[in-house]
Amino acid sequence: MARHRAKSALAAVLIAASGVLVTGTADAAPPPPQLVPHPAQLTARPGVFTLSPSAKIQVTTRHAAAPAELLADTLRPSTGFRLPVTDRLGHTGIVFAGGADRKVGPEGYQLDVTPRQVVIRANTAAGHFNGVATLRQLLPAKAEAKRKQPGPWQVRGASITDFPRYHHRGAMLDVSRHFFTTDQVKRYVDQLATFKVNYFHLHLSDDQGWRLEIKSWPELTKIGGSTEVGGRTGRLYYTQQQYKDLVAHAASRGITVIPEFDMPGHTNAAQASYAELNCDGQKRPLYTGIEVGFSSLCINNDVTYRFVEDVVREVSAITPGPYFHLGGDEAHSTSDADYQTFMDRALPIVKKYGKTTVGWHEFVKTTTDTSVVPQFWGTKTTNADVAAAAQRGNKVLMSPANRVYLDMKYDKNTALGLSWAGYIEVKDAYSWNPGAYLDGVGEASVRGVEAPLWTETLRTTADVEHMAFPRLPVAAELGWAPASVHDWERFAPRLGAQAPRWEAMGIGYYASPQVPWRK
């Protein structure tokens, strides 16, 4: 017996899936769960927790109410259990509690699985949402199904202490080139939440379409929101109420929406709606192609800045999050002097309405304000303007097009997408380090990682999912997991283990031959 106890007490230390400490006893050393993103610390524990039909989800701290409801809403259809959310603490079931170790920070959590309980401890709602995302992956894949499935609903014993590498873990969806309904966008948001993505960047205007009602400029949607790439016509925009509902839906998953209205270029839809936005006073024809760089607002006309202010004012009033994305990319029809003039007038407007400007990295050359966020989307590892901004103190959002643009083709045989930034197979999307990628932009200067998805060639939800999966989870891994776990040979099996879960969710992913998919 003494030898047995000594053996049980001896920790079997593994560097599982990469260099993050994973521990377990010699008596119970099952393989670690295949989580994406990988947690900061994972300890295997003996025993199994089984979710029972009488289980309750117990909330002991106010900020955990929404995460608890999200978990209940996820599990009720597949289990058939009632899973009431209650503030009455029992001795079994799933418990949301405060009092997490301060080292997990505002977004981290601790998750402990014993045969009697699953306890998620966090100090904020964000931490609890992230704990929910992990628990969902610890449960059987069929837990994600929308119809009742047979049990049992078991979770292996574990203790997890987890927190993100970067604060900003984002994804962007372009609804301007091709329009997507609120239900389609909500589906994508729901998918983001399963990988701890916490910012959803919604690209709401471009040459092909203006997608959000602006009450002081109604023709923007009546005309500018009437068509898309390829020429389809209709009511292709969101009312402000629909947008508010979408923002609230994202918030109920722990995700903050960042609205983008691209200026001073990519503005043909606005210029087709109002003649006064053009220097010659003539409306532009609607555009349904995919070329870029041909449009520009009239920079030296005061009505342009009344337009900008009205848009920023109305959108800011219905956007609780702190950011407004001003675009600023590919303004090839705007001179450098005019571009500077525009930003000199537009950036203070964003600040006036209480928002922090995010923009594609070109804009950062026009300002020394260290609070603004340049989003790097280039394909080279040098950019003097971004490096200078980082040296001043700006935090850079990393979206290199040849690594994380989800609309790039996987290879030459991919039917969807474009290839101007190159082909991006799954290993290519993974094989870079956000904190050491761009010269002059070190780890401390990186705000996070965002994976944009442009929709020139994407028309349906199936198209979106084929291009986003599995590369979206790759970007989430890079944004959350410790740098020490970065190893393709160990990551690929973790990614492949997600396949049954995606199938249960009805996600039509690209089965890359580079990944050992679990069936």
Side-chain angles (χ1 to χ4, degrees):
M1 180 66 72
R3 287 178 62 193
H4 179 76
R5 284 197 298 266
K7 182 179 179 182
S8 297
L10 180 63
V13 179
L14 307 173
I15 304 301
S18 66
V20 165
L21 184 66
V22 179
T23 64
T25 68
D27 282 349
Q34 301 292 291
L35 301 175
V36 176
H38 196 291
Q41 184 175 344
L42 167 64
T43 304
R45 299 293 190 197
V48 172
F49 169 80
T50 301
L51 188 69
S52 70
S54 61
K56 295 181 172 112
I57 297 177
Q58 302 153 51
V59 176
T60 67
T61 181
R62 182 179 303 177
H63 61 244
E69 289 293 350
L70 174 61
L71 180 63
D73 289 344
T74 300
L75 298 182
R76 284 171 183 146
S78 56
T79 64
F81 301 165
R82 289 183 58 245
L83 298 176
V85 177
T86 177
D87 59 3
R88 295 183 179 181
L89 186 62
H91 298 290
T92 62
I94 300 173
V95 180
F96 287 79
D101 191 314
R102 284 184 293 180
K103 73 180 181 182
V104 304
E107 295 181 83
Y109 63 93
Q110 293 173 285
L111 192 156
D112 292 292
V113 182
T114 68
R116 294 181 64 86
Q117 285 184 323
V118 174
V119 180
I120 302 174
R121 293 181 179 85
N123 299 318
T124 65
H128 277 116
F129 277 119
N130 291 324
V132 167
T134 295
L135 179 56
R136 289 171 68 174
Q137 289 191 28
L138 293 172
L139 283 157
K142 60 188 177 182
E144 299 292 340
K146 296 302 182 186
R147 294 183 180 180
K148 188 175 180 181
Q149 304 292 313
W153 304 101
Q154 295 184 324
V155 182
R156 293 204 310 260
S159 289
I160 296 171
T161 298
D162 199 14
F163 45 87
R165 178 181 180 184
Y166 299 119
H167 165 65
H168 192 132
R169 305 168 308 280
M172 187 213 80
L173 182 63
D174 167 21
V175 296
S176 296
R177 272 46 177 268
H178 280 101
F179 179 70
F180 291 84
T181 66
T182 53
D183 284 345
Q184 289 175 305
V185 176
K186 286 178 181 179
R187 177 178 169 89
Y188 195 53
V189 167
D190 290 349
Q191 293 162 358
L192 302 182
T194 66
F195 294 101
K196 303 181 177 69
V197 170
N198 62 340
Y199 285 99
F200 178 50
H201 170 184
L202 194 56
H203 184 78
L204 286 159
S205 74
D206 216 297
D207 292 316
Q208 298 85 351
W210 187 282
R211 304 302 182 203
L212 179 61
E213 172 191 25
I214 303 297
K215 293 181 178 180
S216 55
W217 297 74
E219 299 296 294
L220 288 171
T221 45
K222 182 178 179 181
I223 296 173
S226 67
T227 191
E228 63 180 8
V229 168
R232 180 170 73 115
T233 59
R235 184 187 169 282
L236 307 179
Y237 65 90
Y238 312 118
T239 66
Q240 290 195 7
Q241 185 56 49
Q242 287 174 317
Y243 173 79
K244 288 192 287 186
D245 178 62
L246 182 56
V247 169
H249 181 85
S252 73
R253 274 99 178 117
I255 296 173
T256 298
V257 171
I258 301 176
E260 180 188 354
F261 293 85
D262 208 344
M263 307 176 198
H266 288 278
T267 51
N268 190 79
Q271 293 173 265
S273 303
Y274 285 94
E276 56 265 44
L277 297 179
N278 301 283
C279 289
D280 62 4
Q282 300 295 315
K283 286 184 178 181
R284 298 294 180 258
L286 290 167
Y287 182 67
T288 60
I290 64 171
E291 297 301 317
V292 300
F294 61 87
S295 59
S296 178
L297 294 172
C298 188
I299 302 303
N300 295 305
N301 190 340
D302 284 342
V303 73
T304 293
Y305 303 98
R306 178 166 62 85
F307 162 74
V308 172
E309 181 155 6
D310 287 342
V311 171
V312 172
R313 173 178 54 80
E314 291 195 31
V315 175
S316 296
I318 57 176
T319 303
Y323 301 102
F324 187 99
H325 202 300
L326 198 59
D329 62 318
E330 297 176 320
H332 304 321
S333 295
T334 310
S335 69
D336 289 347
D338 281 353
Y339 188 87
Q340 181 71 54
T341 296
F342 177 82
M343 290 298 172
D344 285 347
R345 296 189 66 173
L347 293 175
I349 292 172
V350 176
K351 185 172 287 189
K352 174 181 176 180
Y353 290 97
K355 302 301 182 185
T356 296
T357 297
V358 184
W360 302 108
H361 68 253
E362 291 95 322
F363 93 100
V364 80
K365 66 188 177 186
T366 69
T367 180
T368 57
D369 182 352
T370 57
S371 71
V372 303
V373 180
Q375 183 171 1
F376 175 75
W377 65 278
T379 59
K380 299 179 180 179
T381 58
T382 58
N383 185 288
D385 293 328
V386 178
Q391 187 173 13
R392 289 193 299 269
N394 295 82
K395 301 295 185 181
V396 180
L397 182 57
M398 296 297 291
S399 298
N402 55 340
R403 297 292 185 175
V404 292
Y405 265 35
L406 303 180
D407 55 301
M408 292 297 106
K409 292 176 180 287
Y410 293 99
D411 58 35
K412 66 180 181 180
N413 297 314
T414 307
L416 297 168
L418 303 175
S419 59
W420 61 265
Y423 300 127
I424 307 178
E425 248 291 4
V426 181
K427 187 175 181 180
D428 301 317
Y430 180 79
S431 299
W432 66 290
N433 179 358
Y437 182 79
L438 194 58
D439 291 349
V441 181
E443 178 79 6
S445 296
V446 173
R447 173 181 169 84
V449 178
E450 179 182 288
L453 182 55
W454 303 99
T455 61
E456 287 95 335
T457 69
L458 311 183
R459 297 174 175 83
T460 67
T461 291
D463 292 346
V464 166
E465 292 172 2
H466 181 77
M467 299 305 282
F469 288 86
R471 293 180 297 190
L472 171 65
V474 171
E477 171 84 8
L478 294 171
W480 180 281
S484 61
V485 311
H486 195 262
D487 182 303
W488 169 254
E489 296 304 323
R490 292 179 170 132
F491 172 70
R494 281 196 287 120
L495 184 63
Q498 302 301 312
R501 197 168 309 280
W502 298 343
E503 289 163 6
M505 296 171 72
I507 295 173
Y509 62 94
Y510 164 65
S512 168
Q514 297 181 339
V515 178
W517 298 105
R518 181 182 295 178
K519 298 299 183 183

